[in-house]
Amino acid sequence: MESEANGADRKPMSILEVEEWRRCAHQMVDFIADYYRDIATFPVRSQVEPGYLKALLPEAAPEDPEKLDDVLADVRTKILPGITHWQSPSFFAYYPSNGSTAGYLGEMLSGGLNVIGFSWISSPAATELETIVLDWLGKLLELPQQFLSCGGGSGVIQGTASEAVCVVLLAARRRSALKLMAQGILECEAFGKLSAYVSDQTHFCVQKAAQIAGVAANLRVIPTDSSTNFALSPSALRKALAEDIASGYTPFFLCGTVGTTSSAAVDPLGELGDIAQEHELWFHVDAAYAGNACICPENRHNLEGVDKADSYCMNPHKWLLCNFDCSTLWVKHPKFLTDALSTRPEVLRNKATDANAVVDLKDLQIPLGRRFRSLKLWFIMRLYGASGLRSYIRNHISAAKHLESLIIASDRFEMVVPRNFSLVCFRLKAHEDDSARGNTLNATLLEAVNIRGECFLTHTILDGVYTLRMAVGSTRTELQHVKDAWAIINHEADRLISIS
Ligand SMILES: *Cc1c(COP(=O)(O)O)cnc(C)c1O
């Protein structure tokens, strides 16, 4: 009897029986809704120690099927403690990872349809919607026509800004290597002659892309300092170019950033673009975080000069309510990407491709397979409207401005660089007799704040100065969460100063 009852109990989940799927998916939606409801009860930064999970889970997969309830119970007790809660309204670390009702619904639909849209015929709507929504978003950003489909350009969704820069670097490398090969230089030698330019504030993904492309040996990292608020100096770039040309290198690639990862510095795109055009460099603009703010007319000036770029990238998954992953890349000349990345295997041959009647988006990215990510963007643009998205950005920026005013008004804290967008870089002022120039003090303060679990911020080092970074941009962050975090920071600063 007993074994029979157990047997019925252990009826395995169907592989995909529709009504059961409906019931389980509802259960999962409830689980996630409860998570969002209760998110403030968790420490924002996970407090587990390395290796914590191995001690909690079996060493091998179960031979017999288990029940969903048991799996979810383990998620609650074993996985959630090891989660750092990026969706918490008190998450101020790194840059945010946005999610939203509309973004999540798009993500869910994409997961449900589960198509692999590598070529047009593999799901025509996936390719065509992507082109349409990237034109929509490009227009919200007032990108020049040449980036849009009507102007001969192309938008394509990549997983991350790292993949985007890798793709354009490979295109740029091929374009320049071909010119050298036309002069009789062998391909394997050509790569070694190519030099690329970034600043010391450029995201490390460009370094990684250069390693992948085999051009890292001649990646020039131009130093910045506080005199330009850590923006890339055009004169320093000119100097580096002149030196390389004199030494026989062929400069081929320049990356400018709008909103650097460390301090949200903005490189002067117009001047950099002029230099790029003069030297026939591929000019890529990385605006992963701050580009999103440029849908608001009052922030658009940060993109001035983007008309001189060859490619532009930003991450709606960072700050435009689009669940991860969604990195939007626009290029003026998709041909250079397809020249570098296209393949035409027999197994994928079809009438539309053979007739050159369509773009196959596999040729504008590194992998073959690709998700239907444009659904998320389409949903957020339709369900919030441009006005909703703009006011979303404005709320964060205004909360960040408020924090900046509190820091400026306080006599013991100081801004390290002026606030840009919604990133506030600040620190406790150093005592004159502090040999560590306040660096140890601020590092101790940061850990004291984060260990409490009520909010989470991270740090950077600017010109040797240990700096606290507070990025205001989580989906549900409101002014009150910023004020609460400021109160905690002050409370911990009081304690630190009273101890020392
Ligand atoms: C976050 C960030 C990146 C990298 O983001 P991924 O999409 O995770 O690759 C690149 N550049 C800047 C300026 C960033 O802020």
Side-chain angles (χ1 to χ4, degrees):
M1 282 301 283
E2 201 186 314
S3 67
E4 226 180 85
N6 277 348
D9 201 30
R10 260 193 251 111
K11 180 169 171 277
M13 177 179 273
S14 73
I15 300 297
L16 210 166
E17 191 279 309
V18 175
E19 292 313 317
E20 184 186 33
W21 186 89
R22 190 192 306 280
R23 200 172 59 248
C24 294
H26 276 293
Q27 194 178 341
M28 184 58 85
V29 167
D30 283 338
F31 185 91
I32 298 168
D34 289 348
Y35 170 67
Y36 288 154
R37 182 194 62 201
D38 299 336
I39 201 161
T41 63
F42 302 104
V44 183
R45 188 187 70 181
S46 173
Q47 299 187 340
V48 300
E49 296 295 329
Y52 89 101
L53 194 54
K54 196 172 186 332
L56 298 177
L57 295 184
E59 297 213 332
E63 184 58 31
D64 295 319
E66 298 188 68
K67 288 193 301 182
L68 177 60
D69 284 334
D70 294 338
V71 179
L72 287 181
D74 276 353
V75 172
R76 207 173 278 116
T77 56
K78 296 172 184 160
I79 301 295
L80 288 186
I83 292 292
T84 290
H85 300 279
W86 286 67
Q87 300 313 310
S88 162
S90 300
F91 181 95
F92 301 106
Y94 318 112
Y95 278 138
S97 162
N98 277 184
S100 65
T101 306
Y104 187 80
L105 294 177
E107 180 69 31
M108 202 174 179
L109 181 55
S110 165
L113 298 176
N114 204 21
V115 299
I116 314 293
F118 43 70
S119 60
W120 177 85
I121 192 62
S122 74
S123 265
T127 298
E128 296 196 11
L129 185 65
E130 189 156 324
T131 301
I132 292 165
V133 296
L134 288 191
D135 279 350
W136 284 14
L137 187 55
K139 286 177 190 169
L140 290 185
L141 292 162
E142 293 179 36
L143 288 185
Q145 285 256 327
Q146 301 112 286
F147 283 114
L148 308 182
S149 65
C150 59
S154 183
V156 56
I157 302 179
Q158 309 280 332
T160 62
S162 307
E163 289 165 69
V165 76
C166 197
V167 160
V168 297
L169 192 73
L170 292 170
R173 182 189 72 170
R174 183 170 193 280
R175 185 178 75 164
S176 294
L178 283 180
K179 285 186 205 160
L180 291 175
M181 286 151 70
Q183 300 163 19
I185 295 170
L186 296 174
E187 183 172 32
C188 56
E189 286 168 19
F191 291 175
K193 289 192 173 296
L194 299 176
S195 55
Y197 303 81
V198 297
S199 87
D200 59 2
Q201 303 297 306
T202 303
H203 194 277
F204 40 88
C205 68
V206 183
Q207 163 84 34
K208 190 189 256 192
Q211 287 168 206
I212 293 169
V215 295
N218 300 313
L219 178 69
R220 310 291 180 233
V221 179
I222 298 168
T224 62
D225 59 44
S226 57
S227 70
T228 60
N229 281 324
F230 302 94
L232 176 53
S233 142
S235 58
L237 173 63
R238 277 194 188 282
K239 192 161 159 275
L241 284 165
E243 284 170 9
D244 278 333
I245 293 164
S247 313
Y249 289 107
T250 301
F252 85 109
F253 183 84
L254 167 67
C255 180
T257 307
V258 175
T260 57
T261 310
S262 180
S263 67
V266 177
D267 291 340
L269 301 188
E271 288 172 87
L272 297 181
D274 287 336
I275 298 173
Q277 289 185 343
E278 219 174 279
H279 291 273
E280 294 178 32
L281 310 178
W282 183 293
F283 183 29
H284 178 63
V285 174
D286 174 8
Y289 149 76
N292 296 289
C294 298
I295 62 165
C296 301
E298 69 273 23
N299 302 323
R300 173 61 175 74
H301 64 92
N302 291 287
L303 292 188
E304 255 165 45
V306 74
D307 52 303
K308 294 169 188 156
D310 297 278
S311 49
Y312 169 79
C313 168
M314 73 177 209
N315 286 359
H317 68 235
K318 272 191 171 153
W319 197 18
L320 207 61
L321 290 171
C322 196
N323 290 52
F324 190 81
D325 53 354
C326 180
S327 179
T328 47
L329 170 69
W330 287 266
V331 292
K332 277 187 189 163
H333 302 291
K335 178 187 174 300
F336 292 119
L337 271 59
T338 53
D339 281 354
L341 301 169
S342 161
T343 50
R344 293 211 160 186
E346 183 60 32
V347 287
L348 300 185
R349 274 192 74 175
N350 66 89
K351 255 198 288 183
T353 299
D354 284 348
N356 286 324
V358 294
V359 249
D360 289 337
L361 291 174
K362 72 175 176 56
D363 295 337
L364 301 176
Q365 65 174 20
I366 292 165
L368 169 63
R370 60 197 324 274
R371 309 174 61 223
F372 195 169
R373 285 179 288 227
S374 56
L375 284 171
K376 294 184 277 199
L377 266 180
W378 191 44
F379 276 41
I380 66 162
M381 283 191 273
R382 291 189 65 184
L383 294 173
Y384 302 128
S387 61
L389 295 174
R390 289 193 192 103
S391 68
Y392 173 72
I393 295 279
R394 284 175 182 142
N395 282 340
H396 284 148
I397 293 181
S398 104
K401 269 188 189 159
H402 181 77
L403 175 65
E404 180 187 34
S405 71
L406 294 172
I407 292 164
I408 290 171
S410 111
D411 43 14
R412 55 186 179 174
F413 286 94
E414 62 187 353
M415 295 291 289
V416 179
V417 287
R419 174 196 54 81
N420 258 347
F421 309 100
S422 68
L423 180 69
V424 181
C425 294
F426 68 106
R427 68 181 335 233
L428 271 173
K429 289 179 190 166
H431 260 291
E432 277 162 26
D433 52 359
D434 179 354
S435 60
R437 296 194 302 150
N439 285 0
T440 314
L441 178 71
N442 277 284
T444 310
L445 172 63
L446 180 67
E447 189 50 27
V449 167
N450 286 336
I451 202 81
R452 292 171 57 117
E454 290 147 279
C455 61
F456 177 28
L457 23 160
T458 49
H459 81 282
T460 186
I461 292 181
L462 291 167
D463 241 357
V465 172
Y466 192 98
T467 302
L468 310 189
R469 275 171 95 260
M470 192 154 156
V472 181
S474 276
T475 304
R476 294 202 290 159
T477 301
E478 289 174 9
L479 180 58
Q480 191 57 48
H481 301 105
V482 173
K483 289 181 177 171
D484 292 347
W486 178 239
I488 291 165
I489 293 163
N490 272 280
H491 180 80
E492 291 303 325
D494 282 341
R495 286 195 347 157
L496 257 185
I497 289 164
S498 71
I499 299 168
S500 64

